[in-house]
Amino acid sequence: MPAAPPAPGASSTEAVIEAPEVRLIGIGKRFPGVIANHDVEVTIRPATVHALIGENGAGKSTLMKILYGVQKPDDGTIEVGGTERSFRTPTDAIGVGIGMVFQHFMLADNLTALENAVLGAEKLHGIGDKARAEFESISERYGFGLRPDVLVEKLGVADRQRLEILKVLFRGAKVLILDEPTAVLVPQEVDALFANLRDLRAHGHSILFISHKLDEVLAIADDITVMRRGTTVGSAVPGEVTKQELAEMMVGSELPSPETSESTVTDVVQLSLSGVTLTDDAGRDLLSDISFDIHRGEILGIAGVEGNGQAELVETVMGMRRLTSGRILLGEEDVTDWDTRRLRESGVGYIPEDRHRHGLLLDSPLWENRILGHQTRPPSVKGPWINRSGARKDTRRIVDEYDVRTPGIDTVARALSGGNQQKLIIGREMSGDPVLLIASHPTRGVDVGAQAAIWSHIKRARHDGLAVLLISADLDELIGLSDRIEVILRGRMVGTFDPAGVTPKDLGAAMTGGGEA
Amino acid sequence: MSTTQVDKSAPSERARKIGGMYRTYWLVMLVAVVALSLVRIATGADDITAANTLRAAILSACPILLAGMGGLWSERAGIVNIGLEGQMLLGTWGAAYFTYNYGPWVGLLGAAAMGALGGLLHGLATITFGVDHIVSGVAINIIGLGATTFLAEAFFSDYQYGGPRQLTGLDGLPFVTVPGLSDGLKSLNDQGWFVISDLAGLLAALTTKVSVVTILIAVIVVLTAWILWHTSFGLRLRSCGENPAAAESLGVNVYRYKYVAVLVSGGLAGLGGAFLALVAASGFTTNQSNGRGYIGLAAMIFGNWNPFGTLGASLLFGYTDALRLRSPSAVHALLLVVAIGLLAYAAWRFYQGARTSAIVLGLIGAAFLVWFLTTDTVPREFTGMTPYVVTLLVLALASQRLRPPAADGQVYRKGSAG
Ligand SMILES: Nc1ncnc2c1ncn2[C@@H]1O[C@H](COP(=O)(O)OP(=O)(O)OP(=O)(O)O)[C@@H](O)[C@H]1O
Ligand SMILES: [Mg+2]
């Protein structure tokens, strides 16, 4: 059961024996219009996995950035290994053995994976063959399958995530901060990661782990701290709480489950792909001979380990890549050669896999971000002009309907917490009554409460005839939302499943080519 | 757990890429030599591969190359330095002043220091105060011109051989000739044999009266490539130009690397100024760089922010520049080269399946061919433009593949990580 936050200095019996690895005492941080953190108290015991959970905008990432020296706290003190520290830059934090995986990727696109990994840690293994060998050995040990010399711009979200994790492992930090590292990983990858986190823990490392997936939290954590509205509101011990109780502590409501209501599938085909093939410059097939139909009122889920052609499939349908052969129909129309704008004008919504790269202008206010992708349609425009008041009004609607936590619509997108950025994108893409929604990891990084709300938004739209192409690493989401699931492996569709009769385990096996469909 | 196959041949993938790059480089060189040779024989314009022309081409390319290297250093760290022109001017003055007083070697150092001073100014404005890079660069160009004019008047008026706008009679720097080789190659060059004489001309240009500064520049190009791509210092510097927030989150002191980059950048531009004052000419005049800083920047872009690409681009510019100065009639023959180049490229694009661009290129190529066939000379007004037109043309053709550093020209504020 939830207990009161441990009073500084007087925690449980183990903590008396072992001095805490990290203590955050009375941390406070204010941004214009928001109190991101106040009176935060967290104690991390050595050689433990400490989970930090809380609703979107609760202040988790801010707290971690403070611990990593990226942001300076307004109040409070940080103790590492019993000594009080004040970090001016990440360099100081790295110096005392802290490493961090940020919620949003911190990678240089035009450098190779290896270069990104060794950057800042050249002293450990140099930048040559020794570093390459270390990179490959970590990649192998964790089953990441990353190639050192590939440019990061060529990597999809999951590979980027794996690379981010590899980066901290490469550094061998004593305290690891992992801010939502599993959001786009499939269960097998999460298991592999957890096995290694346990291994690291056994070797004396402490890990701070942030996730909205409560199953994961219960599976890996030794201690759990819950944050709400900028402060720590409680702590829990995994063996003694259930998912439901955790969810209640986080958002004060019950845990939703993605149960489908009765089928709304019609016989009208909304999107039809036939024989879609895409080859890269070297002539290798990225997608081979993909054919499927999505009807109005139907959700087609695509299951697969990231990097098996999902991104290419989405970009092909969205007109961002030219297919090598095959045909795409939207309703009755042949849209094979259409460009992205024309597709969007005819009612295709798009939730990109990487919200920072493709979804938002981080330094523009929310209402300008609302216009993005709708720059030719009302209410964003009136004739040839931008309709400022229309766009602002509609942004306010999205903020209300999708519960985007923000001081206002003139706030820049960067100032929103990750989950709230995601909610804004979903709200935008669901507006204007789309006929087809292409959704890559739609609930990536949103809390359990908001996830349920998004699911019901999608279901309502499906009831009204929306067709959805859903790509997700969250198998529960796939099974709960989809009317049909196709498995993609190395650019081919290798099996169809009925979500009513499939378990995550079956899907997992099919995704890695282990199971027969 | 991932199904992505680990490519066991990963290192060789890299080796292959690099190997491919060098192969392309040599192939382009070879094609160019053959084309030039054919055109020379077809038109009788012997000047286009004469050893003297090529030597002049190298002389003309050097300052541009230095400016280009300067641009490369700063842009790789994310700072657009169009102040190169002004920094070059500061370099010309520094070269003159320090050579007059302390001899040419100190002159080189002085030029680099003056250029670096311009770089420091640009760094202060863009890095510390977050001024827009273009605005600051333009300001530096204006300051550079004004300051050198003022300083020249203040210092050089009283010097021997000096005046308010120039300073001549400066000690030069030594030239190197490889004895034996040089003469033999030159006479081979005069034979007019297909390809062999043209190659001999090239080698003769590289072995006859080569300035030590030119050799120094060659070393700088190689060093730049090595430092930026093979040392951890270079990796950190480049990371600041690609994603400074990520670099900072990994403990890289972004400001420091940006400052180093912009100082080196200014220093190289200043050295370019020294080349103009001490090697290409034998003295200082005001506004001596005459736009070469900008051309250097263009060469760097066309060289795809890569030292050897910049080298190639600078040589191309230097070559056309030398040709128009030495032999306006050879510029006419150049039309044929351009036509052949365009048509070949059009064919290549067509083969790749890019129909429209192939047709457009083909038409432009055909136009050049017609121009060549229906005229005997290129009007004098046009010859002056040749280097710029050729650079523009190549830039336009190459621009589809160019890839600037991702955070180039963006103002970065410390503490923006996360
Ligand atoms: N740079 C910033 N400028 C202004 N406000 C900010 C900034 N960064 C965060 N905030 C605000 O601070 C609050 C906490 O944000 P934070 O990113 O820490 O949330 P979080 O718990 O990580 O949420 P999520 O689960 O969505 O990632 C939010 O209200 C956010 O809008
Ligand atoms: Mg967060």
Side-chain angles (χ1 to χ4, degrees):
Chain A
M1 275 309 286
S11 354
S12 59
T13 37
E14 301 102 276
V16 175
I17 302 160
E18 287 176 284
E21 183 75 50
V22 175
R23 266 178 67 192
L24 302 167
I25 307 156
I27 301 287
K29 176 78 187 173
R30 287 173 292 277
F31 290 113
V34 212
I35 299 175
N37 282 164
H38 66 93
D39 305 311
V40 173
E41 307 279 342
V42 183
T43 303
I44 295 143
R45 296 179 290 136
T48 55
V49 177
H50 193 112
L52 197 58
I53 58 172
E55 57 187 349
N56 293 134
K60 306 179 294 294
S61 299
T62 305
L63 183 66
M64 294 303 102
K65 286 180 199 164
I66 288 172
L67 175 55
Y68 192 58
V70 174
Q71 273 158 359
K72 281 169 220 53
D74 296 329
D75 316 298
T77 50
I78 301 171
E79 281 179 15
V80 180
T83 341
E84 189 175 326
R85 304 273 180 184
S86 106
F87 301 137
R88 276 176 36 251
T89 60
T91 317
D92 301 338
I94 294 168
V96 299
I98 301 177
M100 173 155 176
V101 171
F102 287 81
Q103 183 172 11
H104 296 108
F105 303 133
M106 284 286 188
L107 298 167
D109 274 3
N110 204 18
L111 300 184
T112 64
L114 177 64
E115 286 175 327
N116 270 285
V118 302
L119 180 61
E122 304 91 344
K123 290 217 174 64
L124 294 176
H125 306 281
I127 63 169
D129 289 339
K130 243 180 84 195
R132 182 187 310 278
E134 177 68 15
F135 181 104
E136 279 169 340
S137 98
I138 298 176
S139 175
E140 187 135 338
R141 190 148 23 104
Y142 291 67
F144 286 165
L146 283 169
R147 285 178 299 156
D149 295 309
V150 83
L151 281 185
V152 166
E153 71 177 351
K154 300 242 183 328
L155 300 182
V157 272
D159 272 337
R160 284 165 187 253
Q161 187 68 68
R162 294 171 196 131
L163 178 57
E164 284 285 17
I165 297 168
L166 191 149
K167 256 165 66 179
V168 280
L169 298 175
F170 189 91
R171 268 144 246 265
K174 186 90 190 351
V175 179
L176 278 79
I177 304 169
L178 307 177
D179 194 349
E180 295 191 28
T182 56
V184 291
L185 301 185
V186 297
Q188 297 96 310
E189 292 179 300
V190 174
D191 289 343
L193 176 65
F194 281 1
N196 289 104
L197 292 187
R198 292 195 184 98
D199 196 38
L200 285 169
R201 176 176 61 188
H203 285 94
H205 298 258
S206 307
I207 295 145
L208 254 158
F209 177 76
I210 297 179
S211 176
H212 288 294
K213 299 182 184 171
L214 301 178
D215 287 324
E216 291 178 357
V217 169
L218 290 174
I220 187 80
D222 300 305
D223 302 304
I224 302 172
T225 298
V226 184
M227 288 185 77
R228 190 172 344 144
R229 303 202 180 275
T231 192
T232 37
V233 294
S235 58
V237 181
E240 299 167 10
V241 287
T242 62
K243 249 167 88 172
Q244 279 72 13
E245 287 163 341
L246 277 184
E248 269 165 43
M249 289 173 77
M250 267 169 69
V251 290
S253 67
E254 280 192 14
L255 190 69
S257 74
E259 219 67 68
T260 2
S261 32
E262 78 288 4
S263 166
T264 56
V265 183
T266 62
D267 341 320
V268 191
V269 175
Q270 184 60 259
L271 177 76
S272 167
L273 271 70
S274 45
V276 168
T277 300
L278 183 76
T279 42
D280 66 4
D281 296 338
R284 274 180 306 228
D285 273 5
L286 298 172
L287 297 174
S288 7
D289 194 24
I290 294 207
S291 305
F292 59 73
D293 290 343
I294 307 179
H295 301 86
R296 284 174 58 87
E298 183 181 31
I299 299 179
L300 173 66
I302 304 282
V305 178
E306 194 61 46
N308 275 289
Q310 295 96 322
E312 288 79 6
L313 177 65
V314 167
E315 286 173 10
T316 309
V317 175
M318 282 309 295
M320 292 154 76
R321 283 171 184 259
R322 286 277 148 257
L323 52 170
T324 317
S325 64
R327 217 154 62 103
I328 303 176
L329 299 180
L330 180 70
E332 305 278 279
E333 256 177 306
D334 188 335
V335 299
T336 315
D337 292 323
W338 283 22
D339 59 21
T340 309
R341 176 164 141 194
R342 217 167 144 199
L343 281 165
R344 297 201 60 126
E345 282 171 358
S346 39
V348 181
Y350 173 43
I351 301 171
E353 58 174 7
D354 189 340
R355 53 181 170 252
H356 279 191
R357 278 223 302 173
H358 290 140
L360 294 168
L361 295 175
L362 287 172
D363 292 308
S364 296
L366 301 191
W367 70 269
E368 282 185 15
N369 273 290
R370 162 65 183 85
I371 299 174
L372 221 61
H374 296 250
Q375 62 274 38
T376 51
R377 279 174 286 164
S380 310
V381 289
K382 202 188 243 162
W385 312 109
I386 293 283
N387 182 355
R388 214 181 138 98
S389 64
R392 291 175 66 90
K393 196 163 149 247
D394 201 58
T395 311
R396 259 180 236 120
R397 174 190 64 80
I398 293 174
V399 165
D400 289 342
E401 266 179 36
Y402 288 82
D403 187 27
V404 180
R405 308 267 170 93
T406 168
I409 57 167
D410 291 306
T411 309
V412 293
R414 188 186 295 282
L416 255 51
S417 81
N420 284 308
Q421 292 171 355
Q422 187 73 17
K423 291 191 248 173
L424 179 78
I425 293 179
I426 293 170
R428 176 182 75 199
E429 297 308 323
M430 296 289 283
S431 46
D433 293 323
V435 293
L436 172 69
L437 178 70
I438 315 271
S440 293
H441 308 289
T443 56
R444 171 180 175 200
V446 303
D447 65 45
V448 278
Q451 194 177 35
I454 289 168
W455 284 338
S456 64
H457 275 290
I458 293 181
K459 281 183 196 164
R460 206 171 315 134
R462 172 179 63 177
H463 183 262
D464 298 337
L466 177 73
V468 181
L469 178 64
L470 172 71
I471 287 156
S472 180
D474 182 343
L475 299 186
D476 292 326
E477 174 172 80
L478 269 183
I479 293 172
L481 275 182
S482 307
D483 296 297
R484 186 157 50 95
I485 296 176
E486 296 265 6
V487 176
I488 191 167
L489 181 65
R490 297 195 197 93
R492 293 175 181 280
M493 294 300 186
V494 295
T496 308
F497 289 91
D498 177 359
V502 71
T503 64
K505 215 166 155 220
D506 301 338
L507 269 188
M511 281 156 55
T512 47
E516 286 315 306
Chain B
M1 279 294 126
S2 148
T3 52
T4 332
Q5 295 299 308
V6 181
D7 194 348
K8 291 292 178 207
S9 61
S12 79
E13 167 189 55
R14 175 155 152 273
R16 207 168 50 234
K17 232 186 251 164
I18 294 171
M21 211 173 77
Y22 284 117
R23 244 197 332 274
T24 327
Y25 212 74
W26 288 114
L27 197 73
V28 169
M29 294 273 281
L30 191 72
V31 169
V33 170
V34 170
L36 283 174
S37 183
L38 282 173
V39 169
R40 172 178 62 79
I41 289 167
T43 62
D46 287 344
D47 274 340
I48 65 174
T49 58
N52 281 334
T53 310
L54 296 174
R55 192 173 160 269
I58 292 171
L59 279 179
S60 166
C62 279
I64 293 163
L65 179 55
L66 276 173
M69 282 299 129
L72 181 81
W73 271 81
S74 74
E75 298 219 355
R76 278 291 174 182
I79 295 175
V80 173
N81 185 5
I82 66 162
L84 287 170
E85 177 75 9
Q87 290 149 6
M88 258 181 133
L89 285 174
L90 289 171
T92 57
W93 183 87
Y97 176 81
F98 287 98
T99 303
Y100 184 90
N101 289 310
Y102 309 103
W105 291 105
V106 181
L108 281 185
L109 286 180
M114 286 299 287
L117 203 64
L120 181 66
L121 205 60
H122 192 50
L124 274 175
T126 57
I127 305 167
T128 305
F129 296 109
V131 175
D132 181 85
H133 297 189
I134 304 292
V135 172
S136 164
V138 170
I140 286 188
N141 288 339
I142 296 170
I143 293 170
L145 183 58
T148 47
T149 312
F150 169 77
L151 289 172
E153 209 169 306
F155 285 87
F156 298 163
S157 298
D158 313 331
Y159 286 0
Q160 198 187 4
Y161 308 118
R165 309 189 143 269
Q166 86 260 13
L167 178 65
T168 51
L170 296 170
D171 289 342
L173 287 144
F175 288 89
V176 180
T177 301
V178 181
L181 260 185
S182 163
D183 289 337
L185 286 167
K186 259 195 278 188
S187 59
L188 202 59
N189 178 231
D190 293 336
Q191 298 300 321
W193 292 336
F194 176 62
V195 176
I196 295 176
S197 292
D198 306 297
L199 280 177
L202 183 62
L203 291 177
L206 290 173
T207 50
T208 313
K209 278 196 79 184
V210 181
S211 167
V212 287
V213 186
T214 303
I215 298 171
L216 178 69
I217 293 170
V219 173
I220 286 174
V221 173
V222 175
L223 262 182
T224 297
W226 185 76
I227 291 174
L228 290 187
W229 275 270
H230 294 277
T231 66
S232 52
F233 169 84
L235 174 62
R236 287 172 171 226
L237 192 144
R238 282 185 297 130
S239 74
C240 297
E242 296 292 343
N243 188 346
E248 191 174 295
S249 82
L250 294 173
V252 173
N253 186 340
V254 175
Y255 279 18
R256 188 200 303 160
Y257 285 87
K258 283 188 183 258
Y259 264 109
V260 170
V262 81
L263 281 174
V264 173
S265 173
L268 291 175
L271 217 52
F275 192 94
L276 289 174
L278 302 179
V279 183
S282 62
F284 164 90
T285 50
T286 48
N287 197 15
Q288 198 163 16
S289 61
N290 198 16
R292 285 184 182 80
Y294 299 110
I295 298 293
L297 210 58
M300 174 208 64
I301 293 171
F302 155 39
N304 202 8
W305 286 266
N306 173 308
F308 296 108
T310 308
L311 172 68
S314 307
L315 285 173
L316 177 73
F317 187 90
Y319 175 72
T320 41
D321 195 36
L323 204 58
R324 79 165 166 114
L325 286 175
R326 299 189 67 81
S327 153
S329 65
V331 172
H332 186 248
L334 203 61
L335 290 177
L336 184 58
V337 181
V338 170
I340 293 176
L342 280 170
L343 290 171
Y345 192 62
W348 167 242
R349 293 293 290 165
F350 191 81
Y351 168 76
Q352 284 184 322
R355 296 270 157 75
T356 342
S357 89
I359 290 170
V360 172
L361 288 169
L363 285 176
I364 302 176
F368 270 97
L369 194 63
V370 170
W371 186 4
F372 170 76
L373 293 174
T374 54
T375 56
D376 290 329
T377 56
V378 176
R380 224 162 41 83
E381 292 75 14
F382 279 115
T383 50
M385 283 163 41
T386 326
Y388 304 93
V389 172
V390 171
T391 310
L392 207 65
L393 213 63
V394 178
L395 206 60
L397 296 184
S399 61
Q400 310 145 17
R401 302 158 141 268
L402 300 183
R403 170 76 149 91
D408 200 8
Q410 293 171 10
V411 172
Y412 182 74
R413 286 252 150 263
K414 213 180 224 167
S416 317

